[in-house]
Amino acid sequence: MKSSIMHILKQSNDWVSGEYLCRELGVSRTAVWKHIRGLREDGYDIEARANLGYRLRSVPDIPYPDEVTVDLDTVVMGSRIEYYTDLPTTNGEAKKLARAGCPEGTVVVAESQSGGKGRMGRFWFSPRGRGLWFSAVLRPMVNLVETPQVTMVVAVAVALAIREHTGVAAGIKWPNDLLVEGKKICGILVELNAEMDRVNFMVAGIGLNVNIDSSQFPPELSETVTSLKIAAGHHIPRVPLLRTILQSFDFWYQRWLREGFVPVLNKWRELCVTLDCPVTVHTMKDSYVGHALDVDETGALLVQTPDGEVQRLVAGEVSLRKI
Amino acid sequence: MKSSIMHILKQSNDWVSGEYLCRELGVSRTAVWKHIRGLREDGYDIEARANLGYRLRSVPDIPYPDEVTVDLDTVVMGSRIEYYTDLPTTNGEAKKLARAGCPEGTVVVAESQSGGKGRMGRFWFSPRGRGLWFSAVLRPMVNLVETPQVTMVVAVAVALAIREHTGVAAGIKWPNDLLVEGKKICGILVELNAEMDRVNFMVAGIGLNVNIDSSQFPPELSETVTSLKIAAGHHIPRVPLLRTILQSFDFWYQRWLREGFVPVLNKWRELCVTLDCPVTVHTMKDSYVGHALDVDETGALLVQTPDGEVQRLVAGEVSLRKI
């Protein structure tokens, strides 16, 4: 009902009488008033005048499903959007929905995460209303060996959306962190639930620092992380940004399903900032220094060690060395 | 308490007085009697005589944790065993325990599965007490690309355990069904929960037809499935068989972690009954006929099509063609 009232107010773009709302929606004046109050509590600025009725002055920059889906043009992404003020992690909630059979493209978004996590179980700072913390459920009909490509699909899609929407030159660090001027601005955590020859579902979690000021980061992070606001020099509305990201994600995901990994990989190479760089590699087994040469056709990083050998890295941690 | 009484009766192998049990366990005669009754209900045959006390005549062939773990010699397999009379699926319960953080090697075993499933979501006939329906939780520190190897580890381990324990010549059909004389005797369903560079857990589900008579199979299955009892010509006790399988599984799993895929693959090739055979291949995309040549070093099946080309098959369904 709140959605319907909002829809009418948005469409009219002018005063709408209470009487009209009652008639259209088949409810009492008291009911209309109750829902208007609810919308105001949600952050919608609605003017009310005795003789004129109601007029929408502004919508809040909060990723409510009703706002995100306005003019959202996608095949699957955002097919269903679940909004929460707080979650332990959006990936956790998305996995729960996925196990229960939610449609592909279901997106879980939260204002804050109490237990936000990055790769390798690391803490991810997710303060209330200052970022886009969300997860999308995917159900690709691919082989298990192709699933790691999804992290690169997401990295490409989000980096391009950031560039297009804000002009901030986000780059990719292998395999899927987004950096701006060497500092992390976005983390991507893709999880997989599969049988050996069938993907049950994947969940792609994205944590993007949007309107966090330098002073708001925990001191131990302040040297290594940044936000779009810091990089762009101004506040960035989150709802249109999220819409752009979902559209870009949808585009690159569909393209990957249709055309395979090559177009993704080519774009990934263009956006990567850690190729032809000295790196330190940490794997589950050992650590070594080397020079990042390229990625191969599977997305593995090729690192040349000082003795000239080339190591093929399918998983692990890579840090840039300053020389 | 029931476990402790059982332990004392097993150790003694003779009459044990009620007085002795009371003293050892610090409980009343009534309590001892109550637990003896419980053990009898569980299927333990315990004799009771006024002047002598209790004597264990026989233990039931039911995979209770206390029975399976007797002399079980493994590194991780069976570190914890959960027994159920009925479950929807043992894989489902094992995944629940794994998400909650259970130790590696946790085994879930059920007398029957109401929703037993094979690969591709297919029905798996799991009648009460007639088979070994169980799942093990694994937490290997390996890369995602190596995880499909686990299905072949399980196939090798179970096929060898069956051969050793019953003399029935179980063979492997790519990738991981076990056949006896061309009929399916065991299905293996491995599931994976992972991040892109870290395995959270895997669950290996095994459904082995033990004491099912031909007449007990649903008519639509009777031509394509068999059981150990049918193949061996006699009833097979399940508890020692399960113990042998867990030990074999543990051995091959540890060997795989330590030495990699090559020893597993070599043994898999020896046990495979579908190499050098005419096959029909069904993948997610298409179907074709060909000749199964070999598996490569990743476990993919190499199939030569009539035009001479060799297809590399990483997932899909292969059926043997009669010519």
Side-chain angles (χ1 to χ4, degrees):
Chain A
M1 182 58 67
K2 279 203 301 194
S3 277
S4 306
I5 293 176
M6 182 46 52
H7 189 70
I8 293 172
L9 292 180
K10 275 182 180 166
Q11 291 252 305
S12 117
N13 203 18
D14 198 354
W15 293 99
V16 177
S17 72
E19 201 182 318
Y20 177 81
L21 287 172
C22 293
R23 212 172 46 236
E24 279 295 300
L25 303 169
V27 295
S28 70
R29 286 212 159 216
T30 322
V32 167
W33 173 241
K34 203 190 76 194
H35 290 303
I36 294 283
R37 220 170 42 197
L39 284 164
R40 283 175 168 172
E41 278 163 15
D42 291 345
Y44 290 89
D45 184 2
I46 299 169
E47 221 174 337
R49 289 234 195 121
N51 295 329
L52 296 166
Y54 303 102
R55 187 168 67 170
L56 180 63
R57 255 197 305 235
S58 73
V59 300
D61 184 39
I62 296 176
Y64 293 132
D66 279 347
E67 297 305 323
V68 177
T69 50
V70 172
D71 298 325
L72 183 71
D73 183 17
T74 60
V75 180
V76 297
M77 229 51 83
S79 58
R80 172 175 158 191
I81 298 181
E82 298 285 335
Y83 169 84
Y84 299 83
T85 52
D86 187 66
L87 281 175
T89 69
T90 58
N91 264 25
E93 184 64 24
K95 285 188 281 185
K96 226 181 274 174
L97 294 174
R99 276 196 296 273
C102 75
E104 178 167 65
T106 295
V107 169
V108 172
V109 55
E111 287 296 334
S112 67
Q113 297 183 108
S114 54
K117 276 196 325 174
R119 292 170 56 227
M120 314 284 192
R122 292 195 195 108
F123 167 72
W124 185 269
F125 181 60
S126 321
R128 180 173 304 273
R130 301 268 167 186
L132 286 171
W133 328 121
F134 66 103
S135 300
V137 174
L138 308 176
R139 300 187 183 276
M141 295 266 285
V142 299
N143 291 323
L144 197 54
V145 294
E146 293 166 310
T147 56
Q149 298 172 5
V150 169
T151 56
M152 292 166 103
V153 170
V154 182
V156 163
V158 178
L160 288 174
I162 290 172
R163 285 170 174 235
E164 175 194 329
H165 196 84
T166 69
V168 169
I172 302 174
K173 170 171 168 270
W174 187 89
N176 62 348
D177 286 331
L178 300 191
L179 306 183
V180 171
E181 288 164 11
K183 293 180 171 187
K184 200 185 280 194
I185 201 158
C186 180
I188 295 164
L189 180 67
V190 179
E191 299 189 66
L192 171 68
N193 184 307
E195 296 169 20
M196 287 302 105
D197 46 16
R198 185 171 74 166
V199 172
N200 295 324
F201 61 82
M202 299 179 75
V203 163
I206 294 162
L208 174 58
N209 301 336
V210 185
N211 294 313
I212 311 181
D213 295 314
S214 307
S215 60
Q216 293 172 319
F217 283 114
E220 68 275 16
L221 294 179
S222 62
E223 289 302 301
T224 55
V225 300
T226 187
S227 76
L228 285 176
K229 185 181 179 189
I230 297 168
H234 55 80
H235 180 94
I236 310 271
R238 293 180 301 155
V239 171
L241 175 61
L242 176 55
R243 206 182 290 127
T244 307
I245 292 172
L246 292 180
Q247 289 182 170
S248 178
F249 190 178
D250 194 78
F251 172 82
W252 283 98
Y253 178 64
Q254 297 300 333
R255 190 167 182 194
W256 173 67
L257 289 175
R258 210 171 48 235
E259 299 175 34
F261 193 41
V262 173
V264 174
L265 191 59
N266 287 340
K267 189 54 83 176
W268 188 94
R269 278 199 182 99
E270 272 177 42
L271 292 165
C272 182
V273 293
T274 53
L275 293 184
D276 198 22
C277 280
V279 293
T280 304
V281 173
H282 306 275
T283 72
M284 283 185 285
K285 283 162 194 156
D286 56 357
S287 294
Y288 54 89
V289 296
H291 196 84
L293 296 178
D294 197 1
V295 286
D296 71 11
E297 73 290 347
T298 69
L301 187 68
L302 304 175
V303 176
Q304 187 165 41
T305 54
D307 60 10
E309 260 189 77
V310 176
Q311 300 282 331
R312 195 174 158 272
L313 197 61
V314 295
E317 189 61 14
V318 170
S319 54
L320 299 180
R321 275 184 300 138
K322 289 192 180 108
I323 40 172
Chain B
M1 183 59 67
K2 278 204 302 195
S3 277
S4 308
I5 293 177
M6 183 44 52
H7 188 70
I8 292 172
L9 291 179
K10 276 182 181 168
Q11 292 252 304
S12 116
N13 203 17
D14 198 355
W15 292 98
V16 177
S17 72
E19 200 182 320
Y20 177 81
L21 287 171
C22 294
R23 210 170 49 235
E24 278 296 298
L25 304 168
V27 295
S28 70
R29 286 210 159 217
T30 322
V32 166
W33 174 240
K34 204 190 75 196
H35 291 302
I36 293 283
R37 219 170 45 196
L39 284 164
R40 282 174 170 172
E41 278 162 16
D42 292 345
Y44 290 90
D45 184 1
I46 299 169
E47 219 175 338
R49 290 232 195 122
N51 295 331
L52 296 166
Y54 303 102
R55 186 168 68 169
L56 180 63
R57 256 196 303 233
S58 72
V59 299
D61 185 38
I62 297 176
Y64 293 132
D66 279 346
E67 297 306 323
V68 178
T69 51
V70 173
D71 297 325
L72 183 69
D73 182 17
T74 60
V75 180
V76 297
M77 229 51 83
S79 59
R80 173 175 157 191
I81 298 181
E82 298 284 335
Y83 169 84
Y84 298 83
T85 51
D86 187 66
L87 282 175
T89 68
T90 57
N91 265 24
E93 185 63 25
K95 286 189 280 186
K96 227 181 274 174
L97 293 174
R99 277 196 296 274
C102 76
E104 178 167 67
T106 295
V107 169
V108 172
V109 54
E111 286 297 334
S112 67
Q113 297 182 106
S114 54
K117 275 197 324 176
R119 291 169 58 226
M120 314 284 194
R122 293 196 194 106
F123 167 72
W124 185 268
F125 181 59
S126 321
R128 181 172 304 273
R130 301 271 167 182
L132 285 171
W133 328 120
F134 66 102
S135 300
V137 175
L138 309 176
R139 299 186 183 278
M141 295 265 285
V142 300
N143 291 323
L144 197 55
V145 294
E146 294 166 311
T147 55
Q149 298 171 6
V150 169
T151 54
M152 291 165 103
V153 171
V154 182
V156 163
V158 178
L160 288 175
I162 289 172
R163 284 169 176 236
E164 175 195 329
H165 197 84
T166 69
V168 170
I172 303 174
K173 169 170 169 271
W174 186 88
N176 61 348
D177 285 331
L178 300 191
L179 305 183
V180 170
E181 288 164 10
K183 294 181 171 187
K184 200 186 282 195
I185 200 159
C186 178
I188 295 164
L189 180 67
V190 179
E191 299 190 64
L192 171 67
N193 184 307
E195 296 170 21
M196 288 301 107
D197 45 16
R198 186 172 72 166
V199 171
N200 295 325
F201 61 81
M202 299 179 76
V203 163
I206 295 162
L208 174 59
N209 300 336
V210 185
N211 294 313
I212 311 182
D213 295 313
S214 307
S215 61
Q216 292 172 319
F217 284 113
E220 69 275 17
L221 294 179
S222 62
E223 289 302 301
T224 55
V225 298
T226 188
S227 75
L228 286 176
K229 185 181 178 189
I230 297 168
H234 56 80
H235 179 93
I236 309 271
R238 293 180 303 153
V239 171
L241 174 62
L242 176 56
R243 204 182 291 128
T244 305
I245 292 172
L246 292 180
Q247 290 182 168
S248 178
F249 190 177
D250 193 78
F251 172 82
W252 283 97
Y253 179 63
Q254 297 300 334
R255 188 167 183 193
W256 173 67
L257 289 175
R258 208 171 50 237
E259 299 176 35
F261 192 42
V262 173
V264 174
L265 192 58
N266 288 340
K267 189 55 81 175
W268 188 96
R269 279 198 182 99
E270 272 178 42
L271 293 165
C272 183
V273 293
T274 53
L275 293 184
D276 197 22
C277 280
V279 292
T280 304
V281 172
H282 306 275
T283 72
M284 283 185 285
K285 283 160 195 158
D286 56 356
S287 294
Y288 53 89
V289 296
H291 197 86
L293 296 178
D294 197 0
V295 286
D296 71 11
E297 72 291 348
T298 69
L301 186 69
L302 302 176
V303 176
Q304 186 164 41
T305 53
D307 61 10
E309 259 188 79
V310 176
Q311 299 283 330
R312 196 174 158 271
L313 196 62
V314 296
E317 189 62 14
V318 170
S319 55
L320 299 180
R321 275 184 301 137
K322 291 197 179 101
I323 41 172

